[in-house]
Amino acid sequence: MTKVVKIKTGSKFEDHGSYSRLVAVDNWIFVSNTAGRNPETKEIPEDVGAQTHQVFANIERALAAVGASLADVVMSRVFIQEPKDTETVMTIVGEKFRGTDPASTVTCPPLGSTVYKVEIEVTAYRGASSAEIEKRTISL
């Protein structure tokens, strides 16, 4: 029997938009586009690097709620408000995913508010971190 777990954080945005922060379907885990708002203070750091670190803290908290971690991420989607911030954001993304190497999309669309400098969405597979990994290099 398939089991679906839906995680809410109490965010007014989740309620207003009728969505879950995370949905796990058996071992597949989908984390909604996540911004850098601190869940305790409700503050959003001004600095893009600090926002990016907060985004990851929020994602890690959601993944931990279903027994997963960043090491289980197989796909990331990174949305950066300003192209000039790409190097800063991607340096942090690289640090967080070093060794995990998920597939990734990086784009610079307008975000829902100018206070958001970066948002990240991930797909994970519970247990991917302990799976046998085969790495290959191809020419494109």
Side-chain angles (χ1 to χ4, degrees):
M1 176 99 168
T2 300
K3 181 177 181 180
V4 178
V5 176
K6 296 182 179 185
I7 302 290
K8 299 264 192 179
T9 65
S11 162
K12 66 180 182 180
F13 301 106
E14 293 168 356
D15 185 47
H16 180 78
S18 189
Y19 70 93
S20 298
R21 172 63 38 209
L22 177 151
V23 174
V25 181
D26 291 331
N27 287 324
W28 283 105
I29 303 164
F30 306 91
V31 180
S32 294
N33 206 15
T34 302
R37 184 181 305 277
N38 182 305
E40 283 83 33
T41 67
K42 308 298 185 219
E43 300 288 321
I44 299 173
E46 178 68 26
D47 176 72
V48 70
Q51 268 195 39
T52 306
H53 282 291
Q54 185 63 58
V55 167
F56 274 105
N58 296 346
I59 290 170
E60 288 174 284
R61 179 180 287 171
L63 288 168
V66 294
S69 72
L70 288 179
D72 293 309
V73 171
V74 296
M75 178 68 192
S76 70
R77 290 157 211 86
V78 182
F79 305 95
I80 304 166
Q81 184 85 267
E82 295 292 334
K84 68 179 175 55
D85 292 330
T86 301
E87 184 170 348
T88 299
V89 171
M90 292 311 295
T91 296
I92 296 166
V93 169
E95 291 166 1
K96 293 291 189 175
F97 287 135
R98 187 85 52 229
T100 301
D101 303 327
S104 186
T105 296
V106 180
T107 188
C108 297
L111 301 178
S113 170
T114 56
V115 299
Y116 305 131
K117 296 184 177 191
V118 59
E119 294 183 356
I120 300 173
E121 166 188 335
V122 300
T123 302
Y125 187 83
R126 194 179 2 252
S129 59
S130 59
E132 179 181 335
I133 305 294
E134 178 181 336
K135 293 187 178 188
R136 296 180 184 185
T137 301
I138 63 169
S139 297
L140 295 178

